[in-house]
Amino acid sequence: MKKLFIITVVLLVSVFSLTACSSKSVQDRISKEIGIDVSTGKEVSNYDTHSGNGDGTSCIVLSFDDDTVLEKIKNNSEWEAFPINETIQTLVYGISDETSSVGPFLNDNKGNPLVPEIQNGYYILVDRQVDKDKATGADILHRYSFNFTLCLYDTDTDTLYFCKLDT
């Protein structure tokens, strides 16, 4: 019985050690997805409603002490400078007029935007629902479902908002 207990403990410790060694940090996962090293970012918040079926909304906020990430963004042609276009406006903050309103799609469970208003910055929209270069972000609003990653970088506060929506 003692032998079985010792073997079980050794196996459990081994499994936990292997899992800990292979798990990547939030910064590593974001870096891989957006193609920019954000390893120096400090996690400010992490909102995630993804369920077992993969549907949900997430927003991870990273803050930076300097402009190192900003320089990497400026040198990456996939990032766009503000002002944001109508598609990004709708996804992040929503749009409305006298007769209707649409969005925000990146919101908490009460319908509030997950990203505060940003005046100056850069953004990148990765449409994970279509093959790259076969559709533009503009038609993302005319679908029945969403699968995209959107990052916004606030140059006034050196803050990155990494958001995902899967429906």
Side-chain angles (χ1 to χ4, degrees), residues 35-47:
I36 290 177
D37 181 11
V38 297
S39 60
T40 60
K42 294 181 190 98
E43 188 174 331
V44 175
S45 66
N46 191 333
Y47 175 87

Side-chain angles (χ1 to χ4, degrees), residues 25 30 39 52-53 73 91 94-95 111 136 142-144 146 157 165:
S25 70
I30 293 173
S39 60
N53 67 0
I73 289 171
L91 294 172
I95 58 170
T136 65
H142 302 288
R143 298 184 189 151
Y144 296 108
F146 298 103
T157 62
L165 179 61

Side-chain angles (χ1 to χ4, degrees), residues 91 105 129 140-141 143-148 165-167:
L91 294 172
F105 291 94
Q129 191 158 318
I140 205 168
L141 297 174
R143 298 184 189 151
Y144 296 108
S145 65
F146 298 103
N147 293 293
F148 65 84
L165 179 61
D166 298 292
T167 61

Side-chain angles (χ1 to χ4, degrees), residues 47 57-59 61 92 104-109 112-116 161 163-164:
Y47 175 87
T57 304
S58 62
C59 184
V61 181
V92 179
F105 291 94
L106 291 169
N107 63 64
D108 63 13
N109 60 0
N112 301 311
L114 292 172
V115 178
Y161 299 87
C163 304
K164 291 178 96 169

Side-chain angles (χ1 to χ4, degrees), residues 108-149:
D108 63 13
N109 60 0
K110 296 177 184 170
N112 301 311
L114 292 172
V115 178
E117 289 285 338
I118 298 173
Q119 300 303 315
N120 303 298
Y122 291 84
Y123 66 92
I124 183 172
L125 174 63
V126 179
D127 187 352
R128 293 181 282 108
Q129 191 158 318
V130 296
D131 291 331
K132 190 174 182 177
D133 301 324
K134 289 190 179 177
T136 65
D139 55 15
I140 205 168
L141 297 174
H142 302 288
R143 298 184 189 151
Y144 296 108
S145 65
F146 298 103
N147 293 293
F148 65 84
T149 300

